[in-house]
Amino acid sequence: MTTETLEFQAEARQLLQLMVHSIYSNKDVFLRELISNASDALDKRRLAGLTDERLRADDLHIDLAVDPDARTLTVRDNGIGMSRDEVVGLIGTIARSGTAETLRRLRESKEPAELIGQFGVGFYSTFMVADRVTLLTRKAGEPTGTRWESAGEGTYTVEEVADAPEGTAVTVHLRPEDGEDGLHDYTDLATVRRIVKRYSDFIAFPIRATAAAGAEEQVLNSMKALWARPRAEVAEEEYREFYRHIAHDWTDPLETISLRAEGTFEYEALLFIPARRPHDLFQRDGRHGVQLYVKRVFILEDSRELLPDHLRFVKGVVDAADLSLNISREILQQDRHIQLIRRRLAKKVMATIKELMTGDADKYRTFWREFGPAVKEGLLDPAEDRKAILDVASFASTAGEEPTSLADYLARMKDGQDKIYYMTGESRAQVENSPHLEAFRAQGYEVLLLTDPVDEIWVEGVPEYEGKEFSSVARGAVDLPADEVSEERTGSYAALLGWLGETLADVKDVRLTGRLTNSPACLVSDADGLTPTLEKMYRAMGQDVPTARRILELNPEHPLVGALRTAHEERADDPALVETAELLYGTALLAEGGDLADPARFAKLLADRLARTV
C-alpha cells in the first residue's frame, strides 16, 4: 500500500505547539480524551446498529494495552471507526471558522486556556506525552482501513491498510518519564488504573486492560453511574458509599437529591447535602462545587459554575448530554445551558431544604446549624431568589430558645404591627441584654436576634418579607405605642439635653426616649447609619470607615437621669457632673456594642466614683 505524506494546516501546527506547551495543566488528561473519543465511537456504533443490522456489535468495549519495553500505550475500541477522508478531515486539519483569530488571542493572552474555542480536538493532547502517535482505524461496514501517523512536527502520513479491524486503535509512543514536568509512566498499569478511576469510572462501556501478552485482563471502570439509574433501583447504602467517595467524608449525607432534565437540553444530577460543614466552607480558596461529567466522562472536579456560591456546600455530580467546553474540557464557557442548569439545581436544592423544614425538624435543625450562615450569603446577591432563601431561614428570637422561621414570626405578630423587628450583634447574650430590647419586651413585641456576621450586611439590602418591613430596634426612632415622650417633659429636660450635647463631643444628639424601661440611657444609630459591629467588620476588611456619631437617648423615668437633671439645675458648673456624663455615655456605648475611645480613663472615673460610695 502506498503511503502519502501530508502537511498539517498552518493553524494546526501552531495549535500543536500550544497544546504541548500551554493549554493542558495536567498531562494525565490525554488518556481521558482518548477514552472519551472511544466511548463516543462506541455510542455511534450502537446507534447505527439499531437501523443497520450489519453494523450491530454485541461486545462493545475499550481495550488499554501497555508495553513497558516498547514504551507504548494503546487505546483500542470496536466502535464506528473512520474512513480515510474522515481521518484527514478530523485529525489532519482543523477546518473551523475563526481558528486564526483564536490562535492570535491565545498567543497574546496570559491565560490561554481560558480562550480556547470549540475545536473538539482532544486527540492532539497525546503530543504532550508522545514522541509519535499512530492511529489505525476502519469504519464499520467498509472493506479497508487507514493508518495515520505523526510526530506532531508539521507533517503526517496516511496509508491504506487491508487487514485493519473495525474500530479505532491509537498507539501513543511515550516520551521518557519526567516527574518534574508532570510526565508519569503511562506504561505502568497502576498509573493507568488511577487515571481511569478518576476520569472515566462511569463510562457505560467496559474499559479493559492488559499489561502483557497472556496476562489476565482487568476491567478498570465500575460503569455504575448511580445518577443514571432510577432512584427506586438504588439502595441507600449505595448512595451513601458514593457520597463518601466523592465528598471525602466519613459521615453519611444528610439528604440525597436526584434530578433528571429532558427535552432540548438533557442532563442528570445526583446531589448530596452533607451532615456537617467542611473545614474550608468559609475559606476563599476552599474546594467547592460539584463534579461535572459529559456523557459520563469526568470533566471537572469542582465546578463552581453549576451552583450559586451560597450553596457551595452541596456535593454531587452533574452529567450533561451536551455542553460547550474548551479544548481541554477544563473550563466551561459561559453559555445559557450552564445558567439553566444552575437555576434548576438551585431551585431543587432550596425546595429540598424547605421540605426538611416542614417535614423533618431534626434534619433541618442540623442543616441550619451547619450551613445557615452560608445560605444567608445568597441574600447579598440581588440576582438570587431572596424570597426562597428567607422562606427556609430561621433566626434566634426573644420568643423562646428555639429558632423561628419568618412565617412563624408573622403568625405571632401583634395586631397593628407592620414591621419585623430585629437587632444585630456579636452574640445572643450580648443582644438579649441590650437596653434596646427593654420596651419591646415590656410591650410583648418579638425581636429577631441576628448574630451571624452576614446578618449585619444582608439586612441592609433586603427591605421586607411578605410585605412587612425589616426594622432595627437600635436605629432611628421606634414607633412603639409608649415610645412617645410628652412635649412638656421634653421641655423640662431641655437644659440637660443641651448641656450633654455640648459636653459629649462624640454624641450627635441627645434626646429623651420611651424605648427604655430599666436602663438610664442607650445609644442608637441614625436610620441609615452603620452599627458598631458593621463598622468593625469593614475595618477588619481593611476599609477606612469613619467612626459614626450616635444619638444618646435618656430614660426620663430612671432615677439617675432625674437626679442628673436636678444636679445640673442646681450646680451646672460642677466638674463632677462632667465625669457623670462621661460615665453615662461610656456605659451606654458598652451596652450598645461599641468600643471606648479611652478605656483607661473610663476605668479610673468608675473606680473613683465607686470609692466614694463605699
Side-chain angles (χ1 to χ4, degrees):
M1 299 294 181
T2 59
T3 300
E4 187 177 4
T5 300
L6 303 173
E7 287 190 359
F8 282 109
Q9 192 182 54
E11 286 88 348
R13 289 197 298 270
Q14 298 173 43
L15 180 63
L16 280 170
Q17 293 302 311
L18 286 168
M19 181 69 67
V20 173
H21 299 293
S22 303
I23 293 176
Y24 283 98
S25 58
N26 180 1
K27 292 180 172 56
D28 291 352
V29 298
F30 89 92
L31 183 53
R32 176 194 71 184
E33 298 293 343
L34 294 182
I35 292 174
S36 176
N37 290 342
S39 176
D40 289 343
L42 294 173
D43 270 327
K44 290 176 181 177
R45 179 156 191 178
R46 180 170 56 184
L47 290 174
L50 298 177
T51 56
D52 189 342
E53 190 171 340
R54 294 174 304 166
L55 303 181
R56 187 173 299 165
D58 296 327
D59 181 27
L60 297 176
H61 61 273
I62 300 170
D63 281 336
L64 307 181
V66 296
D67 188 337
D69 295 332
R71 290 206 54 75
T72 62
L73 167 64
T74 300
V75 179
R76 182 180 296 107
D77 68 74
N78 59 342
I80 195 67
M82 290 180 284
S83 66
R84 180 191 182 283
D85 289 343
E86 288 173 331
V87 169
V88 174
L90 294 175
I91 299 177
T93 64
I94 307 175
R96 301 288 189 273
S97 62
T99 300
E101 172 63 17
T102 300
L103 288 170
R104 182 188 65 78
R105 294 172 62 198
L106 282 169
R107 287 192 294 269
E108 296 175 355
S109 173
K110 295 181 180 179
E111 299 291 341
E114 296 185 4
L115 297 177
I116 293 293
Q118 294 174 264
F119 292 108
V121 287
F123 172 82
Y124 284 106
S125 63
T126 53
F127 289 103
M128 293 187 301
V129 300
D131 290 324
R132 181 164 47 95
V133 177
T134 303
L135 178 144
L136 180 62
T137 184
R138 178 160 71 95
K139 189 162 187 174
E142 292 194 358
T144 59
T146 302
R147 177 183 284 111
W148 177 100
E149 187 168 281
S150 176
E153 296 178 349
T155 63
Y156 59 93
T157 61
V158 180
E159 65 176 311
E160 186 178 296
V161 179
D163 57 350
E166 289 185 331
T168 300
V170 179
T171 299
V172 183
H173 301 264
L174 295 161
R175 288 187 286 159
E177 181 180 0
D178 185 349
E180 292 185 0
D181 192 33
L183 189 63
H184 301 125
D185 182 6
Y186 299 107
T187 65
D188 177 24
L189 194 56
T191 299
V192 172
R193 183 185 298 108
R194 173 182 59 80
I195 297 172
V196 171
K197 192 69 177 176
R198 175 174 174 79
Y199 291 107
S200 309
D201 192 45
F202 303 113
I203 290 289
F205 306 100
I207 302 173
R208 308 186 304 209
T210 53
E216 184 179 354
E217 197 172 62
Q218 304 178 35
V219 176
L220 304 183
N221 61 323
S222 70
M223 296 177 284
K224 293 182 179 180
L226 295 185
W227 59 85
R229 295 163 56 188
R231 186 157 185 172
E233 297 180 5
V234 182
E236 286 301 316
E237 180 55 36
E238 289 183 276
Y239 280 136
R240 288 193 289 266
E241 185 62 34
F242 182 69
Y243 165 76
R244 289 191 285 266
H245 169 68
I246 64 171
H248 309 290
D249 187 4
W250 55 270
T251 61
D252 292 336
L254 190 69
E255 191 68 15
T256 302
I257 305 170
S258 58
L259 180 67
R260 180 189 298 267
E262 298 178 343
T264 56
F265 179 66
E266 298 182 356
Y267 62 90
E268 297 165 319
L270 179 60
L271 306 178
F272 301 92
I273 298 177
R276 60 174 186 167
R277 72 174 65 172
H279 66 87
D280 58 357
L281 181 64
F282 296 106
Q283 295 178 9
R284 185 185 298 270
D285 58 349
R287 293 185 61 185
H288 308 142
V290 297
Q291 294 183 358
L292 174 64
Y293 285 73
V294 174
K295 296 179 181 178
R296 300 192 188 182
V297 177
F298 178 78
I299 301 299
L300 197 61
E301 176 73 27
D302 303 310
S303 179
R304 300 191 179 205
E305 298 89 348
L306 294 175
L307 278 172
D309 198 52
H310 65 278
L311 299 179
R312 60 187 177 274
F313 52 85
V314 174
K315 302 296 182 183
V317 168
V318 175
D319 188 356
D322 183 29
L323 276 179
S324 299
L325 302 172
N326 75 346
I327 197 171
S328 67
R329 304 190 180 191
E330 290 178 336
I331 300 173
L332 294 174
Q333 292 181 345
Q334 297 301 312
D335 65 12
R336 64 184 185 89
H337 290 156
I338 298 300
Q339 300 307 315
L340 287 173
I341 294 177
R342 176 190 174 101
R343 287 195 294 270
R344 180 75 186 278
L345 294 184
K347 185 177 181 180
K348 181 66 174 179
V349 172
M350 296 305 295
T352 301
I353 298 171
K354 183 69 173 179
E355 291 172 2
L356 291 180
M357 188 180 200
T358 57
D360 195 327
D362 289 339
K363 278 189 176 182
Y364 170 78
R365 278 193 292 269
T366 298
F367 166 80
W368 196 254
R369 181 183 66 248
E370 298 293 323
F371 303 110
V375 173
K376 286 187 288 186
E377 290 177 13
L379 296 171
L380 307 180
D381 188 351
E384 299 297 341
D385 187 351
R386 289 171 164 176
K387 173 66 164 54
I389 296 173
L390 291 174
D391 282 343
V392 303
S394 59
F395 308 93
S397 163
T398 56
E401 292 299 318
E402 291 297 321
T404 182
S405 67
L406 290 178
D408 289 341
Y409 180 99
L410 296 183
R412 292 191 296 267
M413 285 175 60
K414 294 168 68 72
D415 292 340
Q417 181 181 344
D418 60 357
K419 295 180 179 178
I420 299 172
Y421 295 115
Y422 71 88
M423 183 173 178
T424 59
E426 296 181 356
S427 68
R428 176 165 184 157
Q430 180 202 65
V431 177
E432 279 188 314
N433 294 322
S434 169
H436 297 98
L437 299 183
E438 292 175 0
F440 289 87
R441 278 205 178 94
Q443 298 187 45
Y445 285 93
E446 182 178 354
V447 179
L448 300 179
L449 312 176
L450 310 183
T451 57
D452 288 325
V454 69
D455 293 330
E456 291 282 353
I457 306 174
W458 73 258
V459 291
E460 302 292 321
V462 181
E464 54 84 28
Y465 177 76
E466 297 288 6
K468 302 295 184 181
E469 178 186 350
F470 287 101
S471 178
S472 172
V473 302
R475 284 182 173 179
V478 178
D479 55 349
L480 294 179
D483 190 38
E484 298 181 1
V485 180
S486 67
E487 293 183 6
E488 180 181 353
R489 169 160 282 189
T490 300
S492 67
Y493 277 84
L496 175 65
L497 299 180
W499 175 76
L500 286 171
E502 295 173 358
T503 303
L504 301 172
D506 293 333
V507 168
K508 181 178 182 180
D509 190 17
V510 183
R511 66 193 182 198
L512 299 183
T513 184
R515 80 170 80 211
L516 300 173
T517 59
N518 300 318
S519 300
C522 70
L523 284 168
V524 298
S525 302
D526 283 329
D528 57 351
L530 297 180
T531 64
T533 305
L534 194 54
E535 282 187 24
K536 293 177 185 177
M537 289 176 59
Y538 282 135
R539 292 194 184 99
M541 292 186 290
Q543 298 190 31
D544 186 15
V545 181
T547 302
R549 298 174 67 203
R550 294 183 173 82
I551 300 168
L552 179 65
E553 293 191 344
L554 304 181
N555 176 8
E557 303 295 335
H558 197 279
L560 174 59
V561 176
L564 184 58
R565 181 190 66 170
T566 301
H568 179 262
E569 290 175 349
E570 296 175 352
R571 51 183 197 281
D573 57 349
D574 186 349
L577 293 182
V578 177
E579 295 180 358
T580 302
E582 288 187 46
L583 289 171
L584 182 66
Y585 170 76
T587 54
L589 181 62
L590 292 174
E592 195 255 358
D595 294 324
L596 294 167
D598 190 349
R601 174 174 171 77
F602 180 83
K604 182 178 184 304
L605 290 176
L606 183 60
D608 291 345
R609 187 60 55 91
L610 290 173
R612 292 198 292 269
T613 64
V614 295

